[in-house]
Amino acid sequence: NGGTASATMISSGTQNVNKGGVATDTVISGLFAAQNIANGGSGLATSIALGGEQNISGGGYGSVATIDYGTQNISSGGVGSAGTIGAGLTGDSTGLQVLNGVQVIYSGGTGTVTNLIASAVTDYDGTVETMHGMQIIESGVGNVTTLNGGEQLVSGGTGTVAVLSDGWQLVNSGTGSVATMSGGTQLVSSGMGSVDSTLIRELLNN
């Protein structure tokens, strides 16, 4: 309730930030590590890894610089931002070793990703696996500044991409738009998709 807290790492357990509180955390890392932000609270993180979660709702605000393998969930009027979403190690050397980072937007949340990329990650067996960072919009608004190897999935709500150079914008329902498309794919199976017509003319003329 209006206080300020900081932690070097959340590796297990939950940090709840509410009613004007502010929390700054270096790393949210681990399957049982979570930061929950609601009711006007704010949470800042350097990275989410190894299955950690940042959950934002009810007018809360959360930001994270990097999501490797982990999730930022944004709902119910919450606002979230991520710098770079790619992929990372799961922490399990015997099962799935590499999974993607995800920003999920539902129930009227708003999310922004600066760089949505594909990451080549060396697993515990020395094998390089490539996974795609994802922004999933079920209901609400999602924005990507640069989509370069990642995937924006619009299954409701609105998704926008400023620059699509590699990767996909997939529109199953709702609305998807791309301002500048220099590569990659926009696939509209249901709903509405658009690409800036001026750019299309320029591509056709070159």
Side-chain angles (χ1 to χ4, degrees), residues 52-78:
E53 289 190 353
Q54 184 183 61
N55 303 305
I56 309 160
S57 64
Y61 171 77
S63 71
V64 57
T66 303
I67 303 178
D68 296 325
Y69 163 48
T71 306
Q72 184 184 57
N73 295 302
I74 310 166
S75 66
S76 304

Side-chain angles (χ1 to χ4, degrees), residues 16 89 119 139 164 170 179:
N16 297 311
L89 295 169
S119 296
S139 173
L164 175 56
L170 307 176

Side-chain angles (χ1 to χ4, degrees), residues 79-136:
V79 176
S81 65
T84 299
I85 302 180
L89 295 169
T90 64
D92 182 4
S93 62
T94 62
L96 290 172
Q97 298 186 17
V98 178
L99 284 174
N100 54 321
V102 184
Q103 182 188 72
V104 182
I105 304 165
Y106 60 101
S107 299
T110 301
T112 300
V113 180
T114 303
N115 298 297
L116 197 54
I117 66 171
S119 296
V121 181
T122 301
D123 68 18
Y124 299 102
D125 301 318
T127 302
V128 177
E129 299 185 46
T130 300
M131 299 288 289
H132 308 281
M134 296 184 68
Q135 182 188 63
I136 300 173

